Structure formats: C-alpha cells, structure tokens
Amino acid sequence: MRTGKDKISVRQLLFVLTIMASSPTTRLLPKFAASKAGQAGWVSPLVSVVPFVILILIIDSLLTKYKGQGMDAIITNIFGKFLGKVILSVYLLWAVWLAAMFMRYYSERLTSSIYPDINNNVLILFTLIAIAYIMRSGFTVIARMSEVMLPFIGMALIMLALFLLPKVRTDNLLPVYFNDIGPIFEGSFAITGTLSYLFPMFFLSDNLVNLKSFRKFGYIATYVIISSIMVVNIITIGVLSSATASRCTMPVLTVVKQISLMDTIENIEAIVVAIWIFTDFTLVTTMLVIALKLMKSIFGLSDATSLINISAVLLYFLSMGISTNKFELEAFSDRLLPQINLALGYVFPVVLFILSKLKRKNKAAQN
Amino acid sequence: MRTFLLVLIVIVVIVIDIIPLIKKKQRKEAVVLLMLGAITLAYGYYYNTHSHTASLVDLVFNIFNTR
C-alpha cells in the first residue's frame, strides 16, 4: 500500500518487527531454547504463537476503540494524565535500555567474530553517526528499507537452511516426549519476550495507515516470524546438538561456518554477518525512534528532531557502560530480560485491555 | 582529556541544536535538550571515571536481587 510522506502502513511496521526479531533469532534464541529445552528446543517457538496472537488481538481491539490515537494517547486516556506519564516513562526507560543493550551486543558480536582487533567504541561510534543521520529522515525510511531488505534476508535464511539440511541429524532433534512440555514452555520465554517488541512499536501508531488490515497482516507476520525462528532452531540444534548449541557463544555462526558444498562454496558466514549488521541497525534505530516519540509525548513537545543528536551521544555512553563484558550482558538476557519483556510487552497490554473494557462498562452504566 | 572531549562534544551538539529552537521560540524543546545534555554529561563523566567497573546490568541485578 502507498503511504504519505510521514505515514507508514501496518504491513511496513510488521516488516520492521520481522527484521527486529531476526537479530535475537541469530544470536540468543537457539542457545536459550537449547539450554532450557534440550533437543526439544526447536518446538519452543510454537508455544509463542498463542501469547503473540493474543497480543495482536488486544492491540487490534484497542486501536479499533481509540481510532486515530497512538498507544501513548490511549494509555493517558485510560490511566489519566499523571499515572499515564509515569507508565510512559517506564516504557521510555525500557526502549532506551533495549537500544543501548542491542547496540552493545552489535559491537560485541562483530568484535568477537570478524573484527577481533577493533575496539567496541569505534563500531558503536560509527554506527550511531549513521543512525543519527538516518533518523533525521524519519521512521518512514527505516520502514521502507525494511520492506526492501526483508525478502533478501528471507532468501539468505532459506539458502543457508538448504545448505545445512544434509548436516542436520534427526537424533539431535528427536525424540520429543510429553515430559518435555515444561522445558519447551521455559525455552519459549525468550522468543515470546522478543515478540513483545510489537507493543512499543504501536507508540508510533498515530503515523500508521491501513490499520484495518492489522489483524490479517499480524497473522501473516506470526507465521513468518515463528517459522523462521523454528528453521534457525532446527538447523542449529540439528547440526550442533543441544549440548553444544547451549554452550557455544555464537551457535548460528558456528553452524554456518560448517557449510561446504562440493568443497567450492565455503566461508559464507559473511551472509550471517550482513544480516546481523542490518537487523541490529534496524532494531537500535526503531528503539531510539520509539524513545523519542515517548519523550515527545511525556514532555508535550511539538517536535523531537532536535533531540536526535544528544540522544545518540547519550546512547554511546549508555551502550559502553551497560556492562563490563559480554558475559554479564548474556547473563542479563538469560535471567532478567525475558521477564521484563513479558511484563511490559504482554502483562501490561492485558491490564490496559481489561481497564478499557471496564471504563466502557462504567460509561454505559452512567448513561 | 576524555572529560574535556566529553564536555566539548556535548556543548557543540547542544549549541548546534538549540540555536534553531531559540529562533523558533520552542522553549520546551530547548529545556528538554538541556536536560538530556546534563544527563549525558553526568553519565559520561561517571563512565569516564569508572570505565573498567561501570555496569548498568550489575545495577539492575542488584535492584532485582538476582545474581
């Protein structure tokens, strides 16, 4: 669908979400699923379908009821001005935290894989300059860029999966027993948490068009994201086994390094690195756009463009000071991040939905 | 030297962004910009003086009492 200069369609927003989900998919999710659910880890993404579809239905219901309003306006409407701003501040902190964390992950991933002699701060600095530059053109540029790039990322993923298919061992993936249900649920926490980034993206919903199709495109996005996470989990656990995948620092890269076709096509891990760079760039930019939108809403600003540069400088120091090393960051992603994501991305929208229904009933009773 | 660079960068960024805001009389935006500048200076100084031990993750672990 064609959109105006500052408007994006729901379809484009879901393209951005799919690309954002690809970053943790190639970094954390197979490792997390393998460590929690063992060889049944590849089934974990299926569990995430249920909460994600519920989240889509809740957002759709809220957007239908409060037509033309952003999620920030909906929250302020339901909770009142003061409490609404407190809640928006919590979401602002979450968005800034995620931007800083993924920025640091981005540099750590590159320095520990292909640029071992480069300092983290150099990579962060140059990427933030690019992000600050691109953000001046608005979120529409990111959305359209994602629309163009997603098919290439999808094709790369399918190609890698096909190349690795002969190396997948079924005894690494099967059998899956009934008593694996508990670990499978546990293994799905990180995936469900990653998909929770859909909710903060709707703080930008006053710039969205074609909201009627949200449910339809939401189901398609669910199918695409969950099946791609499953493919990555199957090839990672299937090739390496769950014991090795859970102990590897970068299991997906380790798997891709094993690709060898008739001893001619080898060392194609550059594809994975390209996917990392683009997905992390999109993720950090989107989180920063959301943070600026929230600042605009909290302080009642007419324009937040003037805050881009100083936010980028602040983000540089936050991403450098977020942890002393990669292991601390991974421990955080393993132990606390899924719970925080679930609370802010699923539990709060459910509370918001219930309160909006109660408010409607109260209004009907008063009339 | 690092602190000097930090102060210089923050001042340059703020001055560049605040001039159009003052011209358009957007006072709220200017105040938020200055506030973000102050936060950047404060955290930047903390990071520069504790670069080997600064860890927000550690702080969050302490808040949630998780290790």
Side-chain angles (χ1 to χ4, degrees), chain A residues 304-318:
Chain A
T305 319
S306 53
L307 305 178
I308 291 174
N309 292 337
I310 196 74
S311 305
V313 178
L314 179 60
L315 192 63
Y316 167 79
F317 287 106
L318 288 177

Side-chain angles (χ1 to χ4, degrees), chain A residues 302 306 317 321-322 328 335, chain B residues 6 17 29 43 55-57 67:
Chain A
S302 56
S306 53
F317 287 106
I322 197 162
E328 213 172 40
R335 288 178 217 158
Chain B
L6 162 76
D17 282 331
E29 283 79 358
Y43 187 73
S55 168
L56 291 171
V57 165
R67 261 286 161 201

Side-chain angles (χ1 to χ4, degrees), chain A residues 104-118:
Chain A
R104 181 62 181 269
Y105 261 131
Y106 161 79
S107 68
E108 289 283 357
R109 222 159 37 166
L110 290 181
T111 49
S112 55
S113 59
I114 54 166
Y115 297 125
D117 300 327
I118 293 182

Side-chain angles (χ1 to χ4, degrees), chain B:
Chain B
M1 183 62 194
R2 288 170 80 182
T3 308
F4 170 74
L5 259 179
L6 162 76
V7 174
L8 184 74
I9 290 168
V10 171
I11 287 175
V12 167
V13 168
I14 287 180
V15 167
I16 289 171
D17 282 331
I18 212 165
I19 291 169
L21 294 179
I22 292 170
K23 275 182 187 169
K24 289 181 202 164
K25 292 187 177 170
Q26 291 178 318
R27 285 176 198 154
K28 259 189 198 173
E29 283 79 358
V31 170
V32 175
L33 179 67
L34 287 174
M35 193 183 74
L36 277 178
I39 293 171
T40 310
L41 273 179
Y43 187 73
Y45 180 73
Y46 172 76
Y47 173 73
N48 280 345
T49 49
H50 299 77
S51 55
H52 297 293
T53 50
S55 168
L56 291 171
V57 165
D58 199 36
L59 193 74
V60 176
F61 274 139
N62 284 339
I63 291 169
F64 287 96
N65 208 9
T66 323
R67 261 286 161 201

Side-chain angles (χ1 to χ4, degrees), chain A residues 3 48 63 77 102 109 112-113 115 122 149 171-172 180 190 237 251 266 273 278 298 302 304 310 342 345 360:
Chain A
T3 52
S48 306
L63 293 177
N77 208 328
F102 284 113
R109 222 159 37 166
S112 55
S113 59
Y115 297 125
V122 177
M149 290 300 287
D171 57 326
N172 283 340
D180 284 325
I237 299 172
E266 283 179 339
V273 175
F278 181 69
I298 292 166
S302 56
I310 196 74
L342 291 179
R360 190 188 238 177

